[in-house]
Amino acid sequence: FGPLSDRIGRRPVFLAAACIISFFGIATALAPPLFPFLLVARFCVGIGVGGSTIPFDTLAEFLPAMKRGRNLLYIQYFWTAGTLLVPPVAYLSFGHQNSEASSSPPSWRLFCF
């Protein structure tokens, strides 16, 4: 996505990446119970995620040179922390398979938290 964004601009490439992620994310959610279809849809989502780094490049241009590395590192820390927090939040949100439904908090409360 990098060379393409240099050639035609970051905005169109980022919008294309967002459309790829959205389209194939919905295709993943609506996938029939065929593993190859799900595999292809998830692969295409991964290709779209490759274009999601373009906003970091845009942000880096506007940050002062002395603080650029530190600020981009903070952004990456939050990105990593969010990735690590998704499985536990999903586990708590959906509850345990073998326990009563009343033992897990409602999903909307965790979403608002």
Side-chain angles (χ1 to χ4, degrees), residues 5 15 25 39 45 89 92 106:
S5 68
L15 289 174
L39 187 66
V45 168
V89 169
L92 293 172

PDB file of all heavy atoms in Angstrom, residues 5 15 25 39 45 89 92 106:
ATOM      1  N   SER A   5       0.182   4.511  -2.290  1.00  0.00           N
ATOM      2  CA  SER A   5      -0.245   5.772  -1.673  1.00  0.00           C
ATOM      3  C   SER A   5       0.671   6.923  -2.065  1.00  0.00           C
ATOM      4  O   SER A   5       0.235   8.064  -2.125  1.00  0.00           O
ATOM      5  CB  SER A   5      -0.315   5.636  -0.150  1.00  0.00           C
ATOM      6  OG  SER A   5       0.973   5.474   0.397  1.00  0.00           O
ATOM      7  N   LEU A  15      -8.978   4.903   1.951  1.00  0.00           N
ATOM      8  CA  LEU A  15     -10.394   4.609   1.754  1.00  0.00           C
ATOM      9  C   LEU A  15     -10.587   3.244   1.098  1.00  0.00           C
ATOM     10  O   LEU A  15     -11.507   2.497   1.457  1.00  0.00           O
ATOM     11  CB  LEU A  15     -11.066   5.699   0.932  1.00  0.00           C
ATOM     12  CG  LEU A  15     -11.245   7.039   1.631  1.00  0.00           C
ATOM     13  CD1 LEU A  15     -11.783   8.085   0.663  1.00  0.00           C
ATOM     14  CD2 LEU A  15     -12.175   6.896   2.821  1.00  0.00           C
ATOM     15  N   GLY A  25     -14.918  -8.073   5.936  1.00  0.00           N
ATOM     16  CA  GLY A  25     -15.349  -8.312   7.316  1.00  0.00           C
ATOM     17  C   GLY A  25     -16.802  -8.739   7.369  1.00  0.00           C
ATOM     18  O   GLY A  25     -17.179  -9.653   8.103  1.00  0.00           O
ATOM     19  N   LEU A  39     -11.708 -18.738   5.082  1.00  0.00           N
ATOM     20  CA  LEU A  39     -10.266 -18.535   4.986  1.00  0.00           C
ATOM     21  C   LEU A  39      -9.927 -17.432   3.980  1.00  0.00           C
ATOM     22  O   LEU A  39      -9.106 -16.545   4.262  1.00  0.00           O
ATOM     23  CB  LEU A  39      -9.590 -19.848   4.592  1.00  0.00           C
ATOM     24  CG  LEU A  39      -8.079 -19.880   4.610  1.00  0.00           C
ATOM     25  CD1 LEU A  39      -7.565 -19.731   6.034  1.00  0.00           C
ATOM     26  CD2 LEU A  39      -7.587 -21.177   4.019  1.00  0.00           C
ATOM     27  N   VAL A  45      -9.314  -9.642   4.485  1.00  0.00           N
ATOM     28  CA  VAL A  45      -9.340  -8.656   5.570  1.00  0.00           C
ATOM     29  C   VAL A  45      -7.907  -8.319   5.983  1.00  0.00           C
ATOM     30  O   VAL A  45      -7.572  -7.155   6.201  1.00  0.00           O
ATOM     31  CB  VAL A  45     -10.157  -9.172   6.779  1.00  0.00           C
ATOM     32  CG1 VAL A  45      -9.935  -8.302   8.002  1.00  0.00           C
ATOM     33  CG2 VAL A  45     -11.634  -9.228   6.447  1.00  0.00           C
ATOM     34  N   VAL A  89     -11.923  -9.369  26.998  1.00  0.00           N
ATOM     35  CA  VAL A  89     -13.202  -8.659  27.002  1.00  0.00           C
ATOM     36  C   VAL A  89     -14.264  -9.483  26.288  1.00  0.00           C
ATOM     37  O   VAL A  89     -15.408  -9.570  26.740  1.00  0.00           O
ATOM     38  CB  VAL A  89     -13.051  -7.254  26.378  1.00  0.00           C
ATOM     39  CG1 VAL A  89     -14.395  -6.612  26.118  1.00  0.00           C
ATOM     40  CG2 VAL A  89     -12.216  -6.368  27.286  1.00  0.00           C
ATOM     41  N   LEU A  92     -15.279 -12.301  28.668  1.00  0.00           N
ATOM     42  CA  LEU A  92     -16.161 -11.813  29.724  1.00  0.00           C
ATOM     43  C   LEU A  92     -17.519 -11.384  29.175  1.00  0.00           C
ATOM     44  O   LEU A  92     -18.543 -11.522  29.833  1.00  0.00           O
ATOM     45  CB  LEU A  92     -15.509 -10.640  30.457  1.00  0.00           C
ATOM     46  CG  LEU A  92     -14.273 -10.970  31.283  1.00  0.00           C
ATOM     47  CD1 LEU A  92     -13.626  -9.694  31.782  1.00  0.00           C
ATOM     48  CD2 LEU A  92     -14.617 -11.895  32.429  1.00  0.00           C
ATOM     49  N   PRO A 106     -23.917  -8.445  31.476  1.00  0.00           N
ATOM     50  CA  PRO A 106     -24.481  -8.198  30.145  1.00  0.00           C
ATOM     51  C   PRO A 106     -23.462  -7.545  29.227  1.00  0.00           C
ATOM     52  O   PRO A 106     -22.647  -6.734  29.643  1.00  0.00           O
ATOM     53  CB  PRO A 106     -25.654  -7.255  30.415  1.00  0.00           C
ATOM     54  CG  PRO A 106     -25.966  -7.429  31.855  1.00  0.00           C
ATOM     55  CD  PRO A 106     -24.681  -7.801  32.536  1.00  0.00           C
TER      56      PRO A 106
END
